[in-house]
Amino acid sequence: MVDKVDFAACYGLWAVVAGASEGIGATYAEALAGRGLNIVLVARRAELLRSRSSELSTKYNVDTKILAIDLASSNAIEQIAENTKDVEVGLLVYNAAFSAIGPFLERPLEDHIKEINTNAFTPLRLIYHFAGQMLARGRGGIVLMSSLSAFQGSAYISTYAATKAFNIVLAEGLWEEWRERGVDVLVCVSGAVKTPNYVASEPEQTGGLGDMTIDPDQVVREALNALGKGPYVIPGRMNRISSFFMRHLLPRKTAVKLMGRILREMYLKER
Ligand SMILES: NC(=O)c1ccc[n+]([C@@H]2O[C@H](COP(=O)([O-])OP(=O)(O)OC[C@H]3O[C@@H](n4cnc5c(N)ncnc54)[C@H](OP(=O)(O)O)[C@@H]3O)[C@@H](O)[C@H]2O)c1
């Protein structure tokens, strides 16, 4: 059981959750409100944000703000900075992502650039904006979402996986830079999660591995429990085992080929 008072003392008063309208991000927002933090909910769909926001303030008696913006756009950071200048942000959770699935050249170049903007450029700029304030206070936290696809090259989601590798390496470096200055950095390296977006991508079940999908609740619970204890967490025991196998037992070339086979089976079955 997490101590609500301790958590709020380390990471309050406000958390910014980028990508908070549904799935894992909405679950983060709820879990953080349950720990007593006020929440800035960021995503594109204003209506969904409004209903999440009123749920949180009614259920947990916390303050909320909503920001309906596109995190892929170049001025996303200015809008977030402007709308949070009057509150103390002690926790940044960057959850939003864009994933363009398919053979690399069959996706327009704009999709690959959008992946870089949504998954790497905007989180980098948000960290740059908020971390200075956290370090000055000597307390705070940053959580980035990554993916098991980032541990090696992942065919058919190559750019997505590369952006997620950026998040892992960035978070680990910043964890080491700031761990003795009161600011905890964590990257949550997740396997498949039953979110609306994942279900909408209609993945085929991959033969050998069975159903390894986990729930957003488990991802968020394990991530928030790991915050302040180390630079990264892999939620789910089966995901930890399979990632150990992929990273430490298989030659890297074999891991890349195996990942390619899994993704082909999941998304390119008909070819
Ligand atoms: N689901 C999985 O299987 C899985 C596996 C490994 C890692 N992850 C990682 O976990 C995180 C969450 O994944 P998810 O499946 O819950 O869903 P997601 O579709 O990647 O993102 C969900 C949230 O982000 C918001 N969002 C997406 N693009 C945005 C943009 N350009 N501007 C503003 N908001 C944006 C969405 O809201 P709006 O549409 O309202 O903007 C939604 O609230 C991602 O970082 C993903 O890479 C997921």
Side-chain angles (χ1 to χ4, degrees):
M1 183 67 186
V2 181
D3 187 328
K4 193 172 160 181
V5 177
D6 278 1
F7 194 90
C10 291
Y11 308 116
L13 303 168
W14 286 77
V16 171
V17 182
S21 61
E22 67 180 13
I24 299 168
T27 309
Y28 269 117
E30 168 137 25
L32 294 170
R35 285 165 167 80
L37 270 56
N38 304 306
I39 314 287
V40 182
L41 299 121
V42 186
R44 290 163 299 191
R45 285 169 289 172
E47 201 48 51
L48 213 43
L49 288 176
R50 268 194 286 277
S51 77
R52 298 266 176 239
S53 153
S54 74
E55 274 166 33
L56 295 186
S57 44
T58 310
K59 196 163 165 192
Y60 299 103
N61 195 25
V62 295
D63 290 333
T64 57
K65 285 176 182 257
I66 59 168
L67 286 177
I69 60 173
D70 183 356
L71 289 159
S73 77
S74 57
N75 67 352
I77 173 72
E78 281 75 19
Q79 297 182 63
I80 295 173
E82 176 61 26
N83 284 283
T84 54
K85 65 181 183 205
D86 57 338
V87 298
E88 184 177 316
V89 174
L91 185 67
L92 168 66
V93 176
Y94 197 92
N95 167 79
F98 176 57
S99 166
I101 300 167
F104 185 81
L105 288 178
E106 291 184 18
R107 302 292 305 219
L109 178 60
E110 291 68 32
D111 281 358
H112 296 285
I113 292 169
K114 186 175 166 188
E115 287 178 306
I116 292 172
N117 287 338
T118 313
N119 308 355
F121 185 61
T122 301
L124 174 79
R125 293 197 66 200
L126 279 175
I127 292 171
Y128 202 88
H129 175 73
F130 286 116
Q133 306 166 15
M134 294 178 192
L135 289 163
R137 281 182 222 121
R139 64 186 192 94
I142 293 164
V143 178
L144 301 180
M145 282 303 297
S146 185
S147 154
L148 291 180
S149 67
F151 280 141
Q152 67 291 298
S154 290
Y156 315 111
I157 48 169
S158 298
T159 308
Y160 168 80
T163 63
K164 292 291 168 179
F166 173 83
N167 281 267
I168 295 176
V169 176
L170 178 70
E172 287 178 333
L174 296 179
W175 174 81
E176 169 62 11
E177 278 193 46
W178 297 337
R179 71 191 167 87
E180 291 187 348
R181 297 180 62 192
V183 176
D184 300 320
V185 184
L186 177 82
V187 61
C188 175
V189 188
S190 181
V193 188
K194 285 182 212 91
T195 62
N197 207 30
Y198 177 77
V199 173
S201 74
E202 298 181 338
E204 287 285 333
Q205 195 63 253
T206 53
L209 293 175
D211 184 2
M212 287 176 52
T213 51
I214 57 177
D215 290 321
D217 284 339
Q218 184 176 356
V219 175
V220 169
R221 190 176 57 250
E222 292 197 28
L224 295 182
N225 285 343
L227 185 60
K229 298 185 183 133
Y232 83 92
V233 64
I234 300 172
R237 188 163 167 271
M238 286 309 292
N239 286 328
R240 287 191 285 279
I241 293 170
S242 73
S243 113
F244 183 84
F245 178 72
M246 292 288 274
R247 285 187 296 154
H248 302 299
L249 300 182
L250 289 185
R252 192 161 171 106
K253 182 173 158 188
T254 311
V256 173
K257 286 164 92 175
L258 176 59
M259 195 59 162
R261 204 188 80 198
I262 292 168
L263 285 157
R264 234 182 336 269
E265 282 180 16
M266 283 172 79
Y267 291 114
L268 306 175
K269 200 71 179 168
E270 71 284 2
R271 296 189 184 215

